[in-house]
Amino acid sequence: MEMYKMEPGSAYPIGTTVDGSGVNFSLFSANAEKVELCIFDDLGQQELMRFTLPLCEHNLWHGYLKGAKVGLVYGYRVYGPYRPEFGHRFNHHKLLLDPYAKALTGRFSWSDRHFAYIVGDPKKDLSFDERDNADVMFKAVVVDPSASGIPRKPIAWQNTVIYEGHVKGLTAINDKIPSELRGSFLGISHPAMIAHYRAIGITTIELLPVQQFISEQFLTDKNLSNYWGYNSLGFFVPHKDYLNQHQIIEFQQMVDQLHQAGFEVIIDVVYNHTCEGNWLGPTLSFRGIDNKSYYRLNPTEPRYYINDTGCGNTLNISHPRVLQMVMDSLRYWVNIMGVDGFRFDLATILAREVTGFDPSNGFLDAILQDPVLATVKVIAEPWDIGPGGYQLGAFQRPWSEWNDQYRDAIKRYWRGDKGMLPEFARRIHGSSDIFEHSGRQPYASINFLCSHDGNTLRDLVSYQKRHNEANGENNRDGHSENFSNNYGVEGETTDTTILAIRLRQIKNMLTTLMFSQGVPMLLAGDELGRTQQGNNNSYCQDNEINWLNWQDNSAFSEELIPFVASLSQLRSRFPMLAYRRFIHKDEKDSQVGITWLHHSGLPMLKDHWHAHHEATLGYMIHEKPENSPVLLCLYHAGKEPIEFQLPEIENVTHWQVVIDTNASAIQTEKRHLAAERKLTMVPFSTIVLLHELNDC
């Protein structure tokens, strides 16, 4: 250790910066009185020496450790007042993780020593714990990463098909992936997975949180874990458990391999809260560095946190240094790690000011003007649990948003709920009632049926109720209303009639999704007929409930994989299914037209739209030039068969059947119908017809 010498350093950049002679350390804290840099052995097991950071400028504590190199293991101890009633929770006995850490070593395990107060003391968090937690805490590792190798090739929004998946769940039990790569970043980009992505026609892989997270203590105590990962600890660090050889370059290799194959990578990020929880939570990083700056505190009782997230705390993005950390983190994941965009969990919180949601909030403005982030895809989950937290449609360009109204309307229509035709049509049309303002386009709507949060598509047609008993909360957690139907039997069955209607309903919803204006998002495994056994809140299940079963040889997987592939091919073949603008009747400069049809074959009238029991709808979509292809989509969510009269169209003498959810792909292929005939549609079915000049 004699080789190290602490000298005055530089306040910028924040975090660690390596040069040929040493490492510069810079840490933000507005209320600290002293900061110590703690150096550990290579395994992070023994603390070797402490250095006081010698200078503080602009609330940035910094020092230059001469002689230090890449691979140095470190943490911080921050001194200051422990006055929870005033919002201060400094405790120098706790080793703290650098918020700018980019690699980790060691393991984290739960201990009462992580808490700044004495657990069990009657004074609760007003007491003070003097025990050290370093042996059970992650340590940061100094790295000097270079940029990801393969440049991004952005895919236009209107050509994007998103596939939402979990790093571990995608490959944990896939026999085509080498055992050492299963459940890791490198498993996701294995050639077998790339072949599957190509087969089903997706363009963009959206990964659940990949930044370092930990499981909550109450889950660990129940032998469960935070599987989804919405419990962030390090915003610059790839999650350690997804690294095969514990090298962060593995994430870059995954991105490079996917880019090389033509796919985009979007990551789900959680900047709304951290894993430190509420006022009785542990002190692991931000809380011990500067609680009053990093978190939003109750202005009248700063001992307590504003909890618009439902997770105990809310990150204070309004603070310029906290905003800077988030922006630095985002740029790092683009410039160095190579990602193509972000899905922001509970994004309404990021756009909150003291007065509530503000579409001109500092964070949103920062994204808009940033020369790096303005070039990538940004997706908002447009709600939180705070006052005025539901903000679907309120984000401005360039944002796209998860559209839960699309999700619920499509589910309800196909379940057979009455009076759904007008909303069903609006959602197919791209939800212009929600998004067509301030120049926003259909791709502002991320259309989805299922996501990580809720039922899978197979469970949506197999379970009437939630079945979350495995979560250990007496089945009280998760949504109570899923807009689902079991069609006669709760859960698995061998009844062929029930299985047939379940498969047909999955196909109906997938067809609706892929033929709707906007950006479709498919939940990974829905193309396999994946089940979570009725669990609609599987956040804590790191097991077969969540892992994709690639060996499932049921009729669901055999039918659905080629079916999804055919839908993707049609969407790619006919750009009018993903038009870059909203389609309106008689709009002169639009290149695409759409006509809504009654089952009589005539255009829909006002009385048709408001017929409460009407469950059948068709529409024709075509490009404006004459002799262009015409697609005729027919949807029937009624419980009885119905005849649909094909519309009379000049020069159209026959139609080719390209989708029939009541038939297999082989039965559908090369079927042609005379233009004047009537189609009999079975209950809960979809038929898509095509007319082209070169049809025989």
Side-chain angles (χ1 to χ4, degrees), residues 278-526:
N278 65 15
W279 55 292
L280 295 176
T283 295
L284 306 175
S285 180
F286 315 95
R287 173 173 281 144
I289 293 170
D290 191 352
N291 182 69
K292 198 168 185 179
S293 295
Y294 276 106
Y295 293 113
R296 291 183 175 169
L297 307 181
N298 186 317
T300 59
E301 292 184 278
R303 177 183 177 185
Y304 304 106
Y305 296 83
I306 291 174
N307 185 22
D308 290 336
T309 66
C311 300
N313 64 56
T314 303
L315 210 60
N316 185 18
I317 303 294
S318 298
H319 191 290
R321 290 297 185 196
V322 182
L323 175 60
Q324 180 182 11
M325 177 191 69
V326 171
M327 297 299 290
D328 287 347
S329 169
L330 291 169
R331 280 189 293 267
Y332 178 81
W333 285 97
V334 175
N335 287 334
I336 303 300
M337 307 306 274
V339 305
D340 302 277
F342 305 93
R343 181 265 188 188
F344 291 84
D345 181 62
L346 302 183
T348 300
I349 284 172
L350 305 180
R352 276 187 184 275
E353 300 291 358
V354 175
T355 55
F357 178 84
D358 182 355
S360 296
N361 154 277
F363 171 74
L364 300 183
D365 286 347
I367 293 284
L368 184 63
Q369 63 78 43
D370 190 279
V372 173
L373 302 178
T375 67
V376 301
K377 289 183 166 75
V378 286
I379 302 171
E381 182 184 37
W383 49 77
D384 63 32
I385 68 167
Y390 187 76
Q391 293 292 336
L392 178 67
F395 288 76
Q396 306 296 316
R397 290 185 297 175
W399 289 84
S400 295
E401 303 174 39
W402 271 28
N403 188 348
D404 63 324
Q405 291 193 33
Y406 178 95
R407 175 197 66 196
D408 294 347
I410 305 307
K411 287 180 181 180
R412 292 185 62 200
Y413 171 78
W414 283 115
R415 186 174 67 170
D417 290 12
K418 304 302 181 185
M420 291 300 299
L421 279 193
E423 186 171 7
F424 182 65
R426 283 194 291 267
R427 303 301 154 240
I428 290 173
H429 183 250
S431 297
S432 58
D433 57 321
I434 298 172
F435 296 106
E436 193 177 12
H437 59 80
S438 303
R440 301 185 78 187
Q441 305 298 349
Y443 52 76
S445 177
I446 304 297
N447 300 330
F448 65 104
L449 302 165
C450 301
S451 68
H452 65 275
D453 187 3
N455 286 129
T456 65
L457 204 48
R458 179 170 172 179
D459 286 357
L460 195 67
V461 298
S462 302
Y463 293 90
Q464 198 87 16
K465 301 177 180 179
R466 65 188 178 197
H467 293 271
N468 300 347
E469 291 82 2
N471 296 355
E473 298 181 39
N474 297 316
N475 203 33
R476 292 192 302 266
D477 61 307
H479 298 293
S480 59
E481 175 55 87
N482 302 299
F483 304 119
S484 61
N485 196 338
N486 63 25
Y487 300 97
V489 174
E490 186 75 354
E492 297 302 309
T493 181
T494 58
D495 187 306
T496 55
T497 301
I498 294 175
L499 289 174
I501 193 171
R502 287 178 178 179
L503 179 59
R504 193 160 72 244
Q505 284 286 56
I506 291 174
K507 289 182 174 182
N508 290 333
M509 287 185 276
L510 287 171
T511 304
T512 309
L513 176 68
M514 296 300 287
F515 280 35
S516 295
Q517 301 294 312
V519 179
M521 184 185 83
L522 181 69
L523 174 63
D526 276 350

Side-chain angles (χ1 to χ4, degrees), residues 43 331 648:
L43 298 178
R331 280 189 293 267
E648 295 183 9

Side-chain angles (χ1 to χ4, degrees), residues 560-581:
L560 291 177
I561 291 176
F563 186 77
V564 171
S566 67
L567 294 175
S568 297
Q569 290 165 4
L570 288 167
R571 186 177 177 89
S572 176
R573 179 180 168 190
F574 299 110
M576 58 190 171
L577 292 173
Y579 192 48
R580 66 184 184 277
R581 295 170 52 186

